[in-house]
């Protein structure tokens, strides 16, 4: 499971992502600094795209 989260998300606290990551074996957690509920920075969106591609390529 790939879990992505913005560090400044006010809709879903980042602690919930951390709890999910701790509960799901073999999960990957990525927290984007300076981001809220959606990713706005280009470099973060590109990183997420590349991580998602790699994740699905491994299935």
């Amino acid at each position: 499971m790939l879990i992505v989260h913005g560090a400044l998300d006010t809709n879903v606290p980042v602690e919930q992502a951390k709890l999910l990551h701790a509960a799901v074996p073999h999960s990957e957690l990525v927290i984007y600094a300076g981001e809220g509920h959606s990713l706005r920075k280009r470099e973060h969106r590109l990183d997420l795209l590349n991580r998602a591609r790699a994740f699905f390529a491994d299935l």
Side-chain angles (χ1 to χ4, degrees):
M1 176 183 288
L2 177 59
I3 305 165
V4 295
H5 209 91
L8 304 177
D9 191 339
T10 57
N11 294 355
V12 180
V14 72
E15 289 77 19
Q16 294 207 0
K18 292 176 180 178
L19 286 171
L20 180 61
H21 175 58
V24 178
H26 310 292
S27 63
E28 178 183 350
L29 173 62
V30 181
I31 299 174
Y32 293 100
E35 296 284 10
H37 194 66
S38 60
L39 300 180
R40 304 230 181 249
K41 296 178 183 175
R42 184 177 189 272
E43 63 269 21
H44 291 163
R45 288 184 283 172
L46 289 173
D47 180 71
L48 175 57
L49 176 63
N50 289 326
R51 287 176 189 272
R53 283 182 180 163
F55 178 81
F56 285 109
D58 289 342
L59 292 181

